[in-house]
């Protein structure tokens, strides 16, 4: 985990819940990815802690389909 | 290459004006600038460049149509938060090239309320919650705090400074002083950024008349530089703002600053006054480093020393900055130029920087568009 915050107000075009976690993850191979985080409490996260890729159901669209995106979740310690 | 002079400036205050259209705001600012420059008919300028991001089709044409001043080429320019500076760069270049003797440059905007909605983000990214602009600011602020021992108190101190200075600016939206406690008591938008550490998108207009020849109250435009995105960095949606995913390339602001210093033949030590992009409080501190006003990691010292407040060695955002004025994208860069012109003429009243001779203006935003403009007496 390279950077993290929580989004407390719905950004434009977003129908999911707030607050939600948001951050930057540095992959073992080097590149950094801007991503949702499953943890929405900034105080519960630390720089450099290991996280892993998950899928995240954000909301349901007008046609009743799940809106699914990627996210990162903290590893179990 | 020829000189470029600012022969007149005008501004509509930045704020919220429910009864006024974008055209109304623009006509107000343009009329004021033309009046200062002594231009009263169509022959007084040969071309127009206008910065706007949300103004719509032929926005500048509508303004000039209102004033019965159409007929020459009119070009609307969009470069995110640097839109007005992009228009200025084009106008200045046309004069330097000898294409025109006189050019009108202005910026206009009426921003929607709330978090800025930008077509830069594809719909799927909006749906995923990733079009959260303040979150990107927060991540950059967190990084700056991690790498330079900044604290939230430093961020609050930037707001206190700019709001105190904004009290004296009749063109600012917020003209009331705040305390650090007030700032830290405002709600957290995206940790570590509280509401009052973020500027408000709003409405306004600013205009400048550029000329090849000097006149009685003109100031010199020494450099008008725009840099967009970063070398070797593919422009895609995962990199909406610089400084998060790359360490090994200079920032767009530094690229623009170095080019502007070279073009103007001045360095950071020569500056008397600066206006910089304080979209959020941390952004101003990062600008100190990126503009080379201080060594990397020492922005909080420059702030704590009082160097960047009115009366200090290099006052920054004596206009109150975007934190006091608000940010109408297309107009904000030219609003800075209006402020610096006033400062260099010595008619900035209670917010005057004594003896100001060289000023710098800076914007940066979406697409990593960064501008640096340098003016001198």
């Amino acid at each position: 985990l390279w950077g993290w915050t929580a989004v407390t107000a719905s950004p434009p075009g977003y129908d999911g819940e707030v607050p939600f976690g948001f951050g930057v993850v540095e992959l073992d191979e080097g590149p950094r990815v801007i991503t949702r985080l499953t943890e929405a409490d900034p105080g519960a996260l630390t720089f450099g802690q290991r996280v892993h890729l998950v899928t995240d159901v954000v909301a349901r669209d007008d046609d009743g389909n799940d809106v699914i995106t990627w996210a990162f979740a903290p590893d179990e310690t | 290459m020829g000189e470029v002079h600012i022969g007149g400036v005008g501004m509509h205050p930045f704020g919220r004006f429910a009864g006024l259209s974008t055209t109304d705001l623009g006509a107000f600012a343009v009329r004021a600038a033309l009046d200062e420059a002594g231009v009263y008919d169509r022959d007084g300028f040969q071309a127009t460049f206008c910065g706007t991001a949300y103004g719509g089709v032929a926005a500048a044409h509508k303004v000039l149509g209102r004033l019965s001043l159409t007929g020459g080429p009119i070009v609307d320019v969009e470069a995110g938060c640097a839109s007005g500076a992009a228009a200025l760069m084009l106008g200045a270049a046309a004069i330097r090239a000898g294409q025109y003797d006189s050019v009108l440059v202005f910026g206009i905007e009426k921003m929607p309320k709330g978090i800025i909605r930008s077509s830069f983000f594809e719909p799927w990214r909006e749906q995923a919650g990733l079009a959260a602009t303040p979150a990107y600011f927060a991540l950059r602020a967190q990084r700056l705090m991690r790498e330079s021992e900044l604290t939230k108190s430093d961020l609050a101190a930037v707001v206190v400074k700019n709001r105190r200075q904004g009290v004296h600016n009749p063109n600012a939206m917020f003209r009331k002083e705040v305390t650090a406690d007030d700032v830290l008591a405002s709600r957290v938008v995206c940790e570590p950024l509280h509401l009052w550490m973020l500027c408000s998108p709003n409405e306004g207009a600013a205009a400048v008349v550029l000329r090849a020849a000097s006149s009685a109250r003109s100031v010199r435009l020494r450099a008008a530089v725009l840099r967009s995105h970063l070398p070797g960095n593919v422009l895609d949606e995962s990199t909406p703002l610089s400084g998060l995913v790359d360490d090994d390339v200079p920032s767009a602001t530094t690229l623009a600053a170095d080019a502007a210093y070279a073009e103007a033949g001045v360095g950071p030590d020569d500056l008397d006054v600066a206006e910089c992009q304080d979209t959020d409080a941390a952004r101003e501190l990062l600008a100190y480093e990126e503009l080379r006003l201080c060594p990397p990691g020492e922005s909080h010292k420059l702030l704590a020393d009082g160097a960047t407040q009115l009366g200090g060695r290099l006052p920054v955002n004596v206009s109150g900055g975007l934190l006091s004025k608000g940010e109408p994208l297309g107009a904000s860069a030219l609003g800075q130029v209006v402020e610096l012109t006033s400062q260099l003429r010595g008619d900035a009243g209670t917010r005057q920087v004594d003896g100001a001779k060289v000023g710098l203006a800076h914007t940066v935003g979406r697409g990593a568009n960064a501008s640096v403009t340098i003016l001198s007496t």
Side-chain angles (χ1 to χ4, degrees), chain B residues 219-220 222-223 260-261 264-275 313-315 340-341 343-345 352-361 373-377:
Chain B
V219 303
R220 279 188 65 189
R222 300 282 295 269
Y261 289 137
V266 304
D269 292 342
D270 299 316
L271 302 176
D272 299 310
V273 57
E275 292 279 305
R313 179 168 57 78
L314 173 54
L340 292 180
T341 299
Q343 290 286 344
L344 298 184
R345 285 171 173 169
Q352 178 66 45
V353 175
D354 288 340
K357 291 184 168 55
V358 181
L360 175 148
T373 304
I374 297 176
L375 278 66
S376 74
T377 50

Side-chain angles (χ1 to χ4, degrees), chain B residues 17-51:
Chain B
F17 310 99
L20 298 178
S21 67
T22 306
T23 304
D24 294 329
L25 301 177
F28 183 96
V30 167
R31 189 181 279 127
L34 293 177
D35 191 41
E36 262 203 19
V39 174
Y40 299 107
D41 59 42
R42 184 64 204 86
D43 299 330
F45 60 100
Q46 293 102 48
T48 300
F49 297 93
C50 172

Side-chain angles (χ1 to χ4, degrees), chain B residues 41-100:
Chain B
D41 59 42
R42 184 64 204 86
D43 299 330
F45 60 100
Q46 293 102 48
T48 300
F49 297 93
C50 172
T52 185
Y54 291 82
V57 175
H61 305 63
K62 291 165 72 177
V63 172
L64 293 186
R66 171 76 61 83
L67 299 172
S68 298
L69 290 172
T70 52
I74 305 170
V75 183
D76 287 337
V77 181
E78 190 276 318
C81 297
S83 295
L88 190 71
M89 176 187 73
L90 294 173
I95 287 186
R96 284 208 185 91
Q99 187 178 10
Y100 307 119

Side-chain angles (χ1 to χ4, degrees), chain B:
Chain B
M1 294 233 285
E3 293 183 356
V4 181
H5 300 267
I6 295 177
V9 296
M11 186 161 171
H12 188 285
F14 292 180
R16 285 290 179 190
F17 310 99
L20 298 178
S21 67
T22 306
T23 304
D24 294 329
L25 301 177
F28 183 96
V30 167
R31 189 181 279 127
L34 293 177
D35 191 41
E36 262 203 19
V39 174
Y40 299 107
D41 59 42
R42 184 64 204 86
D43 299 330
F45 60 100
Q46 293 102 48
T48 300
F49 297 93
C50 172
T52 185
Y54 291 82
V57 175
H61 305 63
K62 291 165 72 177
V63 172
L64 293 186
R66 171 76 61 83
L67 299 172
S68 298
L69 290 172
T70 52
I74 305 170
V75 183
D76 287 337
V77 181
E78 190 276 318
C81 297
S83 295
L88 190 71
M89 176 187 73
L90 294 173
I95 287 186
R96 284 208 185 91
Q99 187 178 10
Y100 307 119
D101 296 323
S102 181
V103 168
L104 172 65
V105 178
F106 66 101
I108 48 177
E109 213 72 80
K110 276 179 85 82
M111 304 284 295
K113 289 188 177 173
I115 296 176
I116 295 175
R117 186 164 204 167
S118 169
S119 57
F120 189 82
F121 293 108
E122 293 297 336
W124 70 264
R125 195 169 281 271
E126 286 194 337
Q127 284 186 297
L130 298 179
T133 304
Y136 294 91
F137 300 161
L139 292 170
R140 196 173 45 207
Q142 182 188 51
R143 178 192 195 168
L144 190 67
M145 291 167 74
R146 184 165 69 230
E147 295 181 351
S148 61
E149 299 170 6
L150 277 175
T151 66
K152 267 197 181 184
S153 296
D154 296 309
L155 302 185
V158 172
V159 183
V160 170
K161 171 181 78 74
N162 290 359
R163 289 289 296 270
R164 187 170 60 230
Q165 294 175 165
V167 168
H168 303 284
N169 186 357
N171 290 320
M173 183 180 191
F174 301 113
R175 299 190 60 194
K176 191 163 162 268
E177 284 196 50
V178 296
T179 66
D181 287 344
D182 293 335
V183 175
L184 295 171
S186 66
R187 73 178 170 84
V188 174
V189 174
C190 288
E191 182 68 32
L193 298 178
H194 292 242
L195 184 63
W196 289 11
M197 294 175 185
L198 291 155
C199 82
S200 299
N202 66 355
E203 308 169 12
V208 172
V209 177
L210 300 180
R211 287 206 175 108
S214 64
S215 54
R217 278 164 50 78
S218 63
V219 303
R220 279 188 65 189
L221 180 60
R222 300 282 295 269
V225 170
L226 176 75
R227 286 291 181 271
S228 301
H229 218 63
L230 306 171
N233 184 326
V234 177
L235 177 60
D236 77 6
E237 287 183 282
S238 66
T239 59
L241 294 160
S242 60
L244 293 181
V245 295
D246 278 307
D247 292 328
D248 55 352
V249 290
S251 74
T253 292
T254 297
L255 293 171
D258 287 349
Y261 289 137
E263 189 172 314
V266 304
D269 292 342
D270 299 316
L271 302 176
D272 299 310
V273 57
E275 292 279 305
C276 79
Q277 181 92 19
D278 55 338
T279 326
D280 65 86
R283 180 63 259 186
E284 172 165 328
L285 296 171
L286 184 58
Y288 294 175
E289 298 184 9
E290 293 180 342
L291 295 168
R292 305 190 190 281
L293 308 183
C294 69
E298 296 189 9
S299 62
H300 58 300
K301 292 182 189 166
L302 197 66
L303 180 73
D305 290 348
T308 59
Q309 67 186 16
L310 190 59
R313 179 168 57 78
L314 173 54
V316 175
N317 285 329
V318 287
S319 69
L322 304 181
L323 288 168
S324 298
K325 290 183 293 188
E327 188 187 18
L329 290 193
S332 68
L334 295 168
Q336 295 175 329
V337 171
V338 172
E339 174 68 23
L340 292 180
T341 299
S342 178
Q343 290 286 344
L344 298 184
R345 285 171 173 169
D347 59 8
T350 50
R351 61 182 194 285
Q352 178 66 45
V353 175
D354 288 340
K357 291 184 168 55
V358 181
L360 175 148
H362 158 251
T363 67
V364 62
R366 191 76 68 210
N369 284 299
S371 71
V372 172
T373 304
I374 297 176
L375 278 66
S376 74
T377 50

